[in-house]
Amino acid sequence: MKRRRVSKILIISVLFTSMFTGNAAAAPTPTEGNLQIQAKSAVLLDASTGTFLYEQNAHEQLPPASVTKIMTMLLTMEAIEQGKIGFEDKVTISARAASMGGSQMYMEAGEQQTLETLLKGVSICSANDACVACAEYVGGSEEIFVEKMNRRAKELGMKDTHFVNTNGLPVSDHYTSAYDIGIMSKELMRFDEPKEWFNTWQTTIQVGKDGKKKTDLGLTNTNRLIKLYPGANGIKTGFTQEAGYCLSGSATKGDLTLIAVVLGCESTGTRWAETMRLLDYGFAAYDSCKAAEKGQSFGTVPVEKGAKEGVAAVIPKDISLLIQKGEAKEISTKAELKESTAAPVQAGDPVGELIVYKGKKELERHELLAGSDVEKAGFGQIYIRMIKNLL
């Protein structure tokens, strides 16, 4: 078994009640108590910060069944994000993809579907044929795509994982851990489109070759958690005799989104029940606290010889902290800005730092950036400014 592992104060703001999802982490101390989950392994983590709140045999290497498809979807979504491919691309279904057993979209070899339709099939009904078709389109072949899966797993710090296929059908030496599934689940939940598909209970698509009469195919979501748990919004189920009943499930309450992973449950009922227990525990113990909002200004930095006399210092991303219940009033921020900066200034140039505190303890620092371009002032503009200053 493998194991994982500037000078000028302008603003002080204390946050009393604001909670939301963001990007920064202030890891609290988990308080698991005697919580025991009826699964071979289980984890609970914050989807925003990636902080793990509960672990039970978290790094045990186990077969994940169709939960594997989280990585297949992640690589496909990242390729779309990079502009390499698009949702409306037409994908030709290969004989290999069409031959996949288990849950499927019943597509024929030579049939064409948009990439978006295939991703819907993977997300909603866990279609093995659609999964292979996506992998072949992104990687050129399933084998090359699997290499990409393992490479991406290493990049993400998934130390308990080795993929052999794209869909999780039983095969030797294909394994991962609840901890690693949590990591790749968090990455996939960055994207808005999968969230929409994960929350679709039923929909209809058309399958069949062009030139022939298309067949309406109903898709029903394999993830009953979205019906059973208020706020549930994903992610992926899995089952084989070897793997047992598995789930990476997520839910949102207020501004806090949690991901619970269970592997090796003895029944589908246990899978739902234990996932909900994990989520209940997390929502009872933790909150997400807003420290800064993307684009928020934390003061103005003087610009020497600039067309404008100053430039706003803004935070480039949402900043949030995972905190225990009742700790929001202890969170504060302080902006430290440069005394001045010389023109020209480009939007995105560093102009200071935002420091986040819990009480008097510094938790983290984030760069503050120039919110706009500032060109050099012309001679006439500088002259008029000097006269005004003299007067």
Side-chain angles (χ1 to χ4, degrees):
M1 178 184 299
K2 304 176 184 175
R3 302 287 299 183
R4 73 158 219 104
R5 36 171 135 105
V6 204
S7 59
K8 188 174 182 181
I9 299 173
L10 292 185
I11 294 176
I12 299 177
S13 58
V14 180
L15 309 175
F16 289 95
T17 57
S18 56
M19 309 291 170
F20 94 126
T21 306
N23 296 323
T29 302
T31 53
E32 299 164 15
N34 296 318
L35 181 64
Q36 294 293 318
I37 299 299
Q38 296 181 49
K40 288 183 178 179
S41 66
V43 298
L44 177 71
L45 66 150
D46 171 37
S48 171
T49 64
T51 304
F52 281 79
L53 308 176
Y54 177 89
E55 299 181 26
Q56 177 178 301
N57 300 325
H59 296 280
E60 184 174 354
Q61 296 169 348
L62 296 167
S66 285
V67 179
T68 300
K69 294 166 185 169
I70 292 172
M71 181 60 85
T72 303
M73 291 190 66
L74 175 60
L75 290 187
T76 305
M77 291 302 303
E78 289 180 339
I80 293 171
E81 181 182 40
Q82 294 160 9
K84 297 178 180 179
I85 54 177
F87 286 115
E88 298 306 313
D89 290 2
K90 293 283 188 179
V91 179
T92 301
I93 308 306
S94 69
R96 179 183 177 89
S99 70
M100 290 294 111
S103 54
Q104 55 186 296
M105 288 167 55
Y106 302 97
M107 296 180 291
E108 303 176 56
E111 176 179 339
Q112 287 193 323
Q113 293 287 351
T114 66
L115 185 60
E116 182 175 11
T117 299
L118 295 176
L119 286 168
K120 286 181 180 179
V122 177
S123 304
I124 298 170
C125 72
S126 195
N128 293 319
D129 47 1
C131 189
V132 173
C134 288
E136 291 175 338
Y137 188 68
V138 175
S141 72
E142 187 177 16
E143 291 77 13
I144 293 174
F145 189 85
V146 170
E147 291 177 6
K148 291 177 178 289
M149 293 170 69
N150 285 312
R151 190 179 309 126
R152 188 71 177 109
K154 288 183 179 179
E155 291 171 355
L156 291 172
M158 297 167 57
K159 299 181 180 180
D160 314 314
T161 295
H162 183 259
F163 296 116
V164 177
N165 62 33
T166 63
N167 49 31
L169 288 171
V171 63
S172 177
D173 207 33
H174 183 93
Y175 56 82
T176 186
S177 67
Y179 193 97
D180 285 0
I181 290 171
I183 292 174
M184 65 181 182
S185 296
K186 173 188 177 295
E187 285 299 307
L188 182 57
M189 291 298 279
R190 292 192 297 112
F191 298 98
D192 293 331
E193 292 84 1
K195 293 177 185 177
E196 178 182 347
W197 305 328
F198 292 147
N199 282 283
T200 300
W201 180 244
Q202 290 183 322
T203 191
T204 301
I205 62 170
Q206 288 193 324
V207 296
K209 289 184 177 180
D210 293 337
K212 294 183 179 180
K213 185 178 180 180
K214 298 278 188 176
T215 301
D216 288 336
L217 176 69
L219 304 181
T220 300
N221 205 314
T222 60
N223 186 6
R224 288 190 61 221
L225 188 70
I226 65 173
K227 288 287 189 179
L228 295 172
Y229 194 84
N233 49 23
I235 303 173
K236 190 72 202 71
T237 59
F239 170 76
T240 63
Q241 291 296 331
E242 181 186 17
Y245 293 89
C246 307
L247 176 65
S248 176
S250 67
T252 300
K253 288 189 177 181
D255 296 313
L256 179 62
T257 297
L258 299 177
I259 298 171
V261 180
V262 294
L263 298 179
C265 293
E266 294 184 354
S267 69
T268 188
T270 302
R271 166 172 60 185
W272 312 128
E274 296 305 277
T275 300
M276 290 189 286
R277 285 183 65 211
L278 277 170
L279 292 170
D280 283 345
Y281 159 73
F283 287 123
Y286 298 95
D287 267 324
S288 183
C289 179
K290 181 177 181 179
E293 189 171 352
K294 181 179 179 180
Q296 182 178 348
S297 174
F298 284 86
T300 302
V301 177
V303 180
E304 298 173 0
K305 298 182 180 180
K308 298 178 182 178
E309 295 188 26
V311 65
V314 301
I315 194 77
K317 61 182 179 180
D318 292 333
I319 304 296
S320 72
L321 306 174
L322 182 68
I323 59 173
Q324 295 186 21
K325 289 281 189 179
E327 291 184 341
K329 60 187 178 182
E330 300 180 41
I331 304 302
S332 65
T333 61
K334 179 178 68 176
E336 289 190 351
L337 306 182
K338 291 183 176 181
E339 293 285 355
S340 64
T341 188
V345 177
Q346 291 186 330
D349 285 348
V351 292
E353 288 185 311
L354 183 70
I355 310 171
V356 183
Y357 294 90
K358 179 181 176 183
K360 295 182 179 181
K361 180 182 178 181
E362 179 180 321
L363 297 179
E364 52 199 35
R365 290 176 176 246
H366 300 273
E367 272 195 327
L368 292 171
L369 308 179
S372 62
D373 295 338
V374 180
E375 301 295 333
K376 282 187 174 181
F379 175 78
Q381 191 174 6
I382 293 175
Y383 179 76
I384 293 171
R385 192 176 295 166
M386 289 175 60
I387 297 300
K388 287 183 177 179
N389 288 338
L390 288 173
L391 294 175

